[in-house]
Amino acid sequence: QVQLVESGGGLVQAGGSLRLSCAASGRTFSSSAMGWFRQAPGKERQFVAAINRSGGSTYYTDSVKGRFTISRDNAKNTVYLQMNSLKPEDTAVYYCAATGLLLQTSASRYDYWGQGTQVTVSS
């Protein structure tokens, strides 16, 4: 079993940056692909980025390509989401998730979820 705790959210002006972290407990972190999702009020949870077990392969939704970077440190059991050039439409609760499957973009394929961290981008 994997427990996930996100941190690093906050309020930032448009054009600014934030770095989200997701600390995982449990011995299966290095064997889990990891993903970041976000959910804005009144909207469905949306895929943002994913990374495979080794960190050698990543995937992003089109709206964040070139602005966000997902990475992981298996020695620290942590996955990161570096967010640059933030826009008001990036405002949402951001969740990290873990799956025992290969890199996934569908929320239904993830087994474990964190509690979320709020990101608010002001215009």
Side-chain angles (χ1 to χ4, degrees), residues 9 12 15 22 29 32 36 39 45 65-66 77 91 111 113 120:
V12 64
C22 174
F29 177 78
S32 300
W36 285 97
Q39 189 166 18
R45 192 165 296 190
K65 284 180 181 176
N77 279 12
T91 295
D111 306 303
W113 292 83
T120 303

Side-chain angles (χ1 to χ4, degrees), residues 3-120:
Q3 294 181 325
L4 305 171
V5 179
E6 302 98 333
S7 61
L11 173 64
V12 64
Q13 289 188 331
S17 299
L18 283 174
R19 187 195 196 201
L20 305 184
S21 299
C22 174
S25 62
R27 295 178 292 176
T28 59
F29 177 78
S30 61
S31 63
S32 300
M34 302 296 296
W36 285 97
F37 291 78
R38 64 187 180 188
Q39 189 166 18
K43 295 187 176 182
E44 293 185 353
R45 192 165 296 190
Q46 176 194 26
F47 168 77
V48 176
I51 189 166
N52 70 344
R53 299 167 183 173
S54 69
S57 181
T58 59
Y59 190 79
Y60 300 90
T61 192
D62 286 345
S63 62
V64 308
K65 284 180 181 176
R67 300 189 298 123
F68 290 12
T69 302
I70 187 172
S71 62
R72 66 189 296 163
D73 185 337
N74 285 346
K76 295 182 178 180
N77 279 12
T78 303
V79 62
Y80 305 97
L81 186 67
Q82 177 67 45
M83 305 186 295
N84 299 328
S85 302
L86 282 161
K87 305 175 181 179
E89 51 264 43
D90 295 319
T91 295
V93 177
Y94 283 70
Y95 300 89
C96 72
T99 177
L101 303 174
L102 299 179
L103 193 153
Q104 301 290 325
T105 62
S106 172
S108 65
R109 297 300 186 100
Y110 285 82
D111 306 303
Y112 304 102
W113 292 83
Q115 83 290 349
T117 185
Q118 176 71 47
V119 171
T120 303

